Amino acid sequence: MKKIYTQSFALFFLLSISYLAHSQVNRSIDGRNNNLANPEWGAANTPLSRFTNVGYSDGISAPGGVNRPNPRTISNELFAQVDFLNDPRGMSDFTWVFGQFLDHDITFVLDNEEDASIPIPAGDPQFDPFGTGQVQIGMHRSAVAPGTGTSTRNPRNHTNIITAFIDASAVYGSEIEHANWLRTFRDGKMKVSQGNMLPFNTFNGEFEGTIDPNAPHMDDPIGLTEKLFVAGDARANENPLLLAYHTLFVREHNRLCDELRIQNPSWNDEELYQYARKIVGGLLQCIVYNEWLPTMGVELPPYSGYNARVNPSATNVFSAAAFRMGHTLLNGNLLRLDSNGNPIGSGPIELRFAFFNPLLVMEDGIEPFLQGMAAQVQQGMDAKVIDDVRNFLFGPPGAGGMDLVAINIQRGRERGLADFNTIRQNSGLFRYTSFQQINSNPEVYQALENTYGNINDIDPWVGMLAEEPMENSLFGPTILRMMQIQFMLLREGDRYYFENDAALPAERKAAIRNTRMVDIIKRNTGISIMQENVFMADVPNHTCGAVTAIGNVSTVNNAPLEGMEVNLVDVSRDLSARTLADGSFTIENMIACNQYEVKVDANSNDWSQGVSTLDALRVNWHITNERSLASPYEQIAGDVDNSGSLTTSDVLEIRDLLLEKQGQFATEQPWRFVDADYVFNRPNNPLQEDFESIATTNRNYDDLEILGIKVGDTDNSVMTASNNATANLRVRHIPGNRSHQVEFYFDRTMNIQGLQFDLNYDKRRMRLIRVRTNLPGFGSDNLSFDPTTASLKTSWMNLNDYNGTTIPAGTAVATLSFVGNNVSPCYNISFSEEDMRAEIYEDGKAFNLVLDCDSNVANNSNRPAQLHQNDPNPFEEVTIVRFDLPERMTASLSFVSNRGQVLHTIERTFEAGENQVTINRSMLGNYRGAIFYYLKGEGVDLVKRMVVE
């Protein structure tokens, strides 16, 4: 009985609270009294909540991360983004802009006067180019929530000055004075200015009006104009895309007021305003939970109703780290497109020039920005951030510019966030033990390791962005978990969530559920055609039509290039295809009236393919005016250092590449590509022209002929098999007591302009100790020697005499000295053609070098008997024994234990020259340890030792 009474009293108490709250049908502007038992939860000007460990260095309020690298250093080493890196899932700019709009609806933490400036490392190329070491990025700490920061039990916390609820407070404001200024107090509507735009901070709301000193404060760190749009959130003028969202929802509010006034002619201004506000809040919630989050791959369990025990306040880790994820998604260019998907006359604008520039939306309205957002793919989710906010946030370096990456890192430290691993553990995820677990890409995890050293020192915002995305999600596991936690709190802890709001009838809730972001756009702008899911990029093609691009990629002498990746890039997307065996490619879904830039990727790192010493000679002859490169394509191929001219540097770089002293040339890839229709203005000096700029329009999309030029290959030999005449390089062996001389000579007099070869020798039998040559200028720069592979690469050219160096018949052109037992050069020396053709150049032509032994060297009767060490040794199961015999004979190979026991004998007739025998462990019984093996025959008695493990 007592238990029943207690429950009845509790029910009565809750009903009493509801009565005392005047049975509040509508949200309060400041969010109070949403939760009847905890009226401050989620309200404006209340502390953030915290569910992760405190990371203050003193456990109370001192910034953390004191032993971590400088934030600007981390920014430079990890986040520098050179090229646009589009989201591989194809999500549009609507995604990140909506994220910013939503962030401004649920969190806003002000700064106080405490300095948190970031010192710039001396010599920073952007902020301290003169190396003064005195530059700082100005920054202040977040304001302290009153009464916090007194002890480790009461660490510093921070105040969210706006409501945490998804309630469209960015549209209406979070304090009553702000909300009232935005209202007309007629028919429930909100103020607008000419063109159905947001009102300006003037008495009449128009740009031409006099500034109203009582207008709500709007942020303006740049001061481009004192006339600013006024919205429910002070940050609305930050960029024109954000302004477009604010404008859309104000227009939707006023449209609803017109609709409701017709449906409910007796309603007064307050009733119309509050009901329209309720619907707009519901639409925003519906877009968040039914469209935006699912498109990003954030899955939540089905809504199960309001839970009064859930605190919906924004969490510190979400506000200071996780929801700053959008900063990596920003695009450097804001597109302005017409209804056909074509750029408007004023074209795109760089983000750095759009900050706090509300005049941009006055010029052409919000429609071009909305069309551009729908068409352009946002940047990818990664630890890369465009320079517009990494170096030029709110101005250039030294003139107001800041680094948003460094600020985010510093913000997490001064807000007392724990390290990345601790936050993962607090969120129910395992702690990483290696950097490779964060991201399997070596470029990412090695950069992280090089920057931080200790995996437990990673700043949370850095770690969250560096994580490899989860399958079917934009996010890595940590941000995904943070998004799930925060948006569950915001939904379950909101008594006015539209699905729970008793003031909304079932048909109105159904109408909200059936509304998408595109519907709000269409009914409040002149846009009539746009993709159903605006968070996925799509170019309008209803006017221009989709066509198929057809083309071919080949060398300048019409040899087809297979496997080349052809990309057609316009303002919004990349279309690509790979060339087939005949060099052809086909790309569908190209918009006929768009202009595309054509980019070709060779997908190859074979820099030496088609490159020879002859190419270096040809470049040198061109430089010295002995023999000019015949075509512009040959000159382009010869500019290997990418300097825009042909110099001796190109000659030497070709030689060093052949000798593997450098891995590649200075160009971006081993191939350069030119439109086959391109006409050189100066064919004798083509390198200063923009010959690689290939574009297509609707006039030639079906006839794209592209020529590939292999860098370094001036004679276009890359696709041609060698059919050169042969030059016999004869081998002469001069035995000695300690070393053996091997001379190379020609049997006819030759005028040598250059040569190249990759000579291999048997390192088991001989060791190279010296190279001598009669070639002028030959030195160590012309050689590359690798004793581990017994490879001697040579690339030499006569740079001073076009006619070449005369080498008489029989005169040694080179002499190699070897140390070894019973050296037999004809059997132990060969040319390798794998990386470099063996060639000699005479009269501008290439001759294939072929080794040709003197008869006395080749005679097997002069080849001595030799027993080689078994391989492998020691061995477990199988080993191979090799030996040489001077002539065909019967011989025996015996295996004897170290105690003299004969374990196995093989006796048969072996051939002259090299022989080999495979030995299995089973032949030797169960013996382990040292074994002697003997080779015996007529005039042969040799022994060696092996080990059986």
Side-chain angles (χ1 to χ4, degrees), residues 10 102 126 214 223-224 253 265 315 489 548 556 604 616 644 696-698 740 746 935:
L102 182 61
Q126 289 287 349
N214 295 318
L224 182 66
H253 173 94
T315 64
L489 296 176
T548 300
V556 296
S604 168
T696 178
T697 67
N698 59 340
H740 298 257
F746 294 100
L935 178 64

Side-chain angles (χ1 to χ4, degrees), residues 822-847:
N822 303 317
V823 170
S824 181
C826 234
Y827 296 96
N828 306 145
I829 297 176
S830 62
F831 285 140
S832 171
E833 299 281 338
E834 183 177 350
D835 297 323
M836 178 190 290
R837 289 177 181 172
E839 294 179 336
I840 189 167
Y841 311 109
E842 184 181 42
D843 193 25
K845 299 177 182 179
F847 293 83

